[in-house]
Amino acid sequence: MITLNVFGDFAPINRGIKSVSNNTAISADIKDVINNADYNIVNLECPVVYSQNVEAIQKDGPNLRCSEETIKYLKDVGFDLCTLANNHFKDYGEKGIDDTFITCKKNSLEWVGAGRNLQEARSPKVIEIKGVQIGILNICEHESSIATDVEAGSNPIDVINNYYDINNLKHQVDILILIIHGGVEHYNLPSPRMKKLCHFYADIGVSAIICHHTHCFSGYEIYNDVPIFYSLGNFFFDRIKNSTDTWGTGYFVQLQMEKKSIDFQMYPYFQCVEEPVVKLMTVNEQTVFKKSIVELNAIINDDILLAKHYQKWMEKRCRYYISTILTWSGKWFKALFRRGYIHSFVSKQNALLLLNYIRCESHRDLLIRSMKKYIDNKSEL
């Protein structure tokens, strides 16, 4: 049997910087699981940046970065591969991307999901373990990190490109693993669209699908013998105001594979709660966690119930999305604005936020639903 572990977002920020320096970020019990596996994958949620003078790109949300020390640490712990298709990979432009590639290569840490152009970013990683060929693809939602034909960056969700990449790869390997960075942040269920998308990928040849990005854990389902995990939660991602909420709770997945079959085991943990470390839950803590997973799975497996929960979430976020896009209304205001007599009250930061809402699949879903609600029920908002 082959064991392959997949971990979520690793971002050594705040207290996490010192933990990496002190070799204490990942607890001994998790290191044991890593060292006893055949292969280990982690999502590096920030680029390596050597110089303090490198300018961050303009974007919605924070710009994250790490040092070469992070790559050395991940390699020493036992990770073999970094996924780089995520919304922070291009936070420091192409210099940060180049520094990341150089550092990973220098420390013999492989990567997938990014490249110096789109064609390179689409390239899968193929490995052979115990005579079994395993293909790994990594994609992410459209935010500020995406590669183009002429720009470096991450491999995006693109149904047409993804179809061809999956179709080509599945004929070369025994098992095809798809890792997706996407979903609605801070919402512990997949949107109906995300569930439908994952089913499509399973239908065209993917053997297992694992998602991260949402900063909280979600459940899973087995669809036509394909395990689909909708969010692992943060792996190691400290924040100034942390607590024992969903930010600090997650799990990693161990895929247990034969040549044409896959089983799995989930390893739940707490991360960066009282101290900047990630460590496995106790037996009693796992009992509570597993109950939450069962409840989430029941919703995921019921399309009507899943849609209802998503609708409730949308209604909570409706005002937030609408407040971002309001601008001058009325023909006189518009005429004055077009002629330069008045300025837009939409700041550059709000424009960046709106751009992200339009291009990112999960944000766009919520934006469209919010606008429909605004049109139909303006008096209720």
Side-chain angles (χ1 to χ4, degrees):
M1 182 177 70
I2 299 164
T3 54
L4 183 151
N5 296 319
V6 182
F7 294 75
D9 304 347
F10 191 95
I13 61 172
N14 300 323
R15 298 176 301 169
I17 298 172
K18 188 173 182 180
S19 289
V20 168
S21 296
N22 293 339
N23 195 30
T24 57
I26 300 172
S27 63
D29 51 6
I30 294 179
K31 286 182 180 179
D32 286 343
V33 180
I34 291 172
N35 292 329
N36 288 323
D38 294 299
Y39 203 78
N40 295 281
I41 303 171
V42 65
N43 181 57
L44 181 63
E45 187 72 356
C46 49
V48 176
V49 182
Y50 285 133
S51 173
Q52 295 297 321
N53 298 323
V54 177
E55 189 173 347
I57 66 167
Q58 293 184 323
K59 57 171 287 190
D60 167 49
N63 296 80
L64 305 182
R65 61 188 289 172
C66 67
S67 67
E68 182 176 0
E69 191 173 34
T70 296
I71 304 302
K72 290 180 178 178
Y73 177 71
L74 292 174
K75 183 63 180 180
D76 289 345
V77 166
F79 286 102
D80 302 286
L81 182 75
C82 286
T83 53
L84 297 178
N86 60 62
N87 57 307
H88 286 285
F89 182 55
K90 207 170 183 176
D91 278 6
Y92 284 83
E94 298 208 10
K95 183 64 171 70
I97 290 173
D98 285 340
D99 286 351
T100 305
F101 291 157
I102 291 169
T103 308
C104 286
K105 188 173 182 179
K106 177 181 176 182
N107 289 276
S108 300
L109 185 61
E110 297 180 300
W111 69 84
V112 70
R116 291 184 171 83
N117 53 53
L118 179 57
Q119 183 178 359
E120 192 176 297
R122 289 172 59 184
S123 299
K125 181 65 183 175
V126 178
I127 58 176
E128 180 177 339
I129 302 176
K130 300 176 182 177
V132 177
Q133 295 289 327
I134 301 169
I136 302 162
L137 278 170
N138 179 211
I139 59 178
C140 65
E141 291 189 323
H142 285 76
E143 296 198 53
S144 55
S145 65
I146 298 304
T148 70
D149 290 338
V150 295
E151 293 181 8
S154 296
N155 185 26
I157 292 175
D158 180 310
V159 174
I160 295 174
N161 285 347
N162 300 157
Y163 169 81
Y164 286 121
D165 293 342
I166 291 168
N167 192 55
N168 290 335
L169 184 58
K170 71 181 182 182
H171 298 296
Q172 305 173 36
V173 299
D174 301 301
I175 293 172
L176 199 166
I177 300 168
L178 177 64
I179 301 175
I180 304 174
H181 194 76
V184 180
E185 289 185 307
H186 311 293
Y187 177 58
N188 62 357
L189 288 165
S191 68
R193 177 193 55 81
M194 180 62 87
K195 178 180 176 180
K196 184 177 181 180
L197 181 66
C198 288
H199 284 193
F200 170 74
Y201 290 141
D203 287 338
I204 63 175
V206 172
S207 310
I209 300 172
I210 300 176
C211 305
H212 39 57
H213 167 65
T214 65
H215 301 303
C216 58
F217 69 87
S218 186
Y220 67 91
E221 65 172 331
I222 309 297
Y223 170 76
N224 290 344
D225 296 326
V226 176
I228 304 173
F229 300 89
Y230 285 105
S231 183
L232 302 182
N234 300 312
F235 175 44
F236 183 74
F237 204 141
D238 190 37
R239 62 178 181 177
I240 300 300
K241 294 182 180 179
N242 214 344
S243 62
T244 55
D245 61 5
T246 53
W247 181 278
T249 307
Y251 63 93
F252 64 91
V253 173
Q254 181 176 94
L255 299 177
Q256 301 167 341
M257 303 174 287
E258 303 290 348
K259 193 161 190 176
K260 291 295 180 182
S261 65
I262 297 181
D263 201 353
F264 62 86
Q265 183 174 345
M266 300 164 65
Y267 287 84
Y269 54 72
F270 291 119
Q271 68 92 24
C272 296
V273 180
E274 295 179 355
E275 54 184 344
V277 63
V278 53
K279 54 185 177 182
L280 293 177
M281 292 183 184
T282 65
V283 174
N284 289 338
E285 290 166 342
Q286 287 186 44
T287 300
V288 176
F289 173 82
K290 288 175 182 177
K291 183 179 178 182
S292 298
I293 292 293
V294 169
E295 292 171 353
L296 291 169
N297 290 354
I299 299 170
I300 290 169
N301 281 282
D302 185 326
D303 285 343
I304 295 175
L305 197 55
L306 184 65
K308 286 182 178 178
H309 277 264
Y310 184 67
Q311 179 71 16
K312 284 184 179 180
W313 175 262
M314 183 276 296
E315 290 176 355
K316 290 180 182 178
R317 301 291 290 166
C318 185
R319 280 183 173 273
Y320 183 83
Y321 279 86
I322 290 173
S323 68
T324 305
I325 64 172
L326 289 178
T327 185
W328 297 115
S329 62
K331 64 179 182 180
W332 299 114
F333 280 119
K334 289 180 179 178
L336 289 170
F337 174 73
R338 285 197 297 267
R339 287 165 175 77
Y341 293 114
I342 60 175
H343 297 288
S344 170
F345 65 75
V346 177
S347 67
K348 189 171 185 178
Q349 192 59 38
N350 261 25
L352 288 167
L353 189 62
L354 178 56
L355 174 61
N356 207 40
Y357 287 171
I358 294 170
R359 69 186 170 196
C360 175
E361 293 83 349
S362 289
H363 283 303
R364 188 166 60 245
D365 288 345
L366 289 167
L367 178 62
I368 291 170
R369 284 175 175 263
S370 296
M371 291 308 299
K372 286 181 177 178
K373 183 176 177 62
Y374 180 79
I375 292 166
D376 295 338
N377 304 291
K378 183 176 179 181
S379 62
E380 298 178 11
L381 293 174

